[in-house]
Amino acid sequence: MAAPVRRPQRATTRRTVVFYGKACGLMAGIAMLVLMIHDGLGAGAAVLLVTLVGGVLAVRRARAADRARLREIRAARSMEIGRYHAMNPREFEEAIAFLCRRDGCRDARRVGGAGDLGADVTAVAPDGRRIVIQCKRYGPTSKVGSPDLQRFGGTCYSVHGAQVAAVVTTSVFTRPAADYAVQQGIRPYDQNALAAWASRTGPAPWM
């Protein structure tokens, strides 16, 4: 209960510091202009004024561009997740194999099916490491639990010889599942990480 309360406080503190920093900078600029005009340095004051205004406008344009880029990224990721939710499990596995090939992996193929022992996609990363991926095409209300990760953890290294092991899902991981993945060196890719990978706005599981 305490953590969610502290986060807004820290955010508010940062915003306050930024606000007062900007205010102090603006006041300092105005004071300098007044002093320059008072000392008869009108031309210098005009140059300083133009510089200050230009700087403010440049910052605003940069922020607007950043916001527009962020909107584009969110839209692209949302569209990718929608596509994967519409697939059946086999199609999802094929799609993950395609992403591996798209991003430079060799021998990327779907191997999932009866008796796959947890390996749905295997590939060789651009740097030569063997990748083993388990795919979980779950609905938005289902989570990948710790038992799923434990079954995969029992085979990905010892049976499949993975050098990079990942579980990729259209959903999210429970906290115990995420903790187990960290302990075992398995890379948990939830819907957000998958969407970033698919839309080229985030890293692939082997990076």
Side-chain angles (χ1 to χ4, degrees):
M1 295 297 292
V5 173
R6 286 196 298 269
R7 289 192 190 99
Q9 289 176 344
R10 287 197 297 270
T12 300
T13 300
R14 286 194 296 270
R15 286 195 295 269
T16 302
V17 170
V18 170
F19 171 78
Y20 281 112
K22 291 179 179 178
C24 289
L26 181 60
M27 291 175 65
I30 293 172
M32 186 177 296
L33 283 171
V34 171
L35 288 174
M36 292 178 73
I37 293 172
H38 182 268
D39 292 339
L41 300 176
V47 171
L48 179 58
L49 178 60
V50 169
T51 302
L52 287 174
V53 172
V56 170
L57 293 177
V59 169
R60 289 183 176 178
R61 284 194 296 268
R63 288 180 176 175
D66 288 343
R67 288 194 294 269
R69 176 59 180 161
L70 183 58
R71 287 194 296 270
E72 291 176 0
I73 290 174
R74 287 174 176 169
R77 293 180 178 182
S78 177
M79 183 169 60
E80 292 293 345
I81 283 298
R83 289 198 311 114
Y84 293 125
H85 278 154
M87 296 178 181
N88 62 40
R90 182 187 180 94
E91 291 169 339
F92 181 54
E93 292 167 6
E94 293 286 4
I96 297 304
F98 166 78
L99 289 179
C100 292
R101 289 192 296 270
R102 184 200 72 181
D103 291 345
C105 290
R106 294 180 285 109
D107 301 323
R109 61 185 184 275
R110 173 187 175 273
V111 297
D116 60 22
L117 296 177
D120 294 320
V121 173
T122 60
V124 178
D127 61 7
R129 291 174 296 163
R130 178 171 172 77
I131 303 167
V132 178
I133 300 176
Q134 184 176 76
C135 302
K136 294 293 185 185
R137 214 297 294 163
Y138 284 179
T141 59
S142 299
K143 294 183 179 182
V144 180
S146 183
D148 296 314
L149 270 293
Q150 290 174 15
R151 284 190 291 271
F152 182 60
T155 61
C156 60
Y157 297 114
S158 61
V159 175
H160 301 293
Q163 293 171 295
V164 177
V167 176
V168 179
T169 182
T170 53
S171 183
V172 296
F173 296 87
T174 64
R175 173 58 64 183
D179 291 343
Y180 178 84
V182 171
Q183 294 167 8
Q184 300 301 315
I186 298 171
R187 305 184 184 196
Y189 254 53
D190 64 10
Q191 60 180 0
N192 293 324
L194 169 60
W197 175 24
S199 61
R200 301 179 187 269
T201 58
W206 57 87
M207 293 179 178

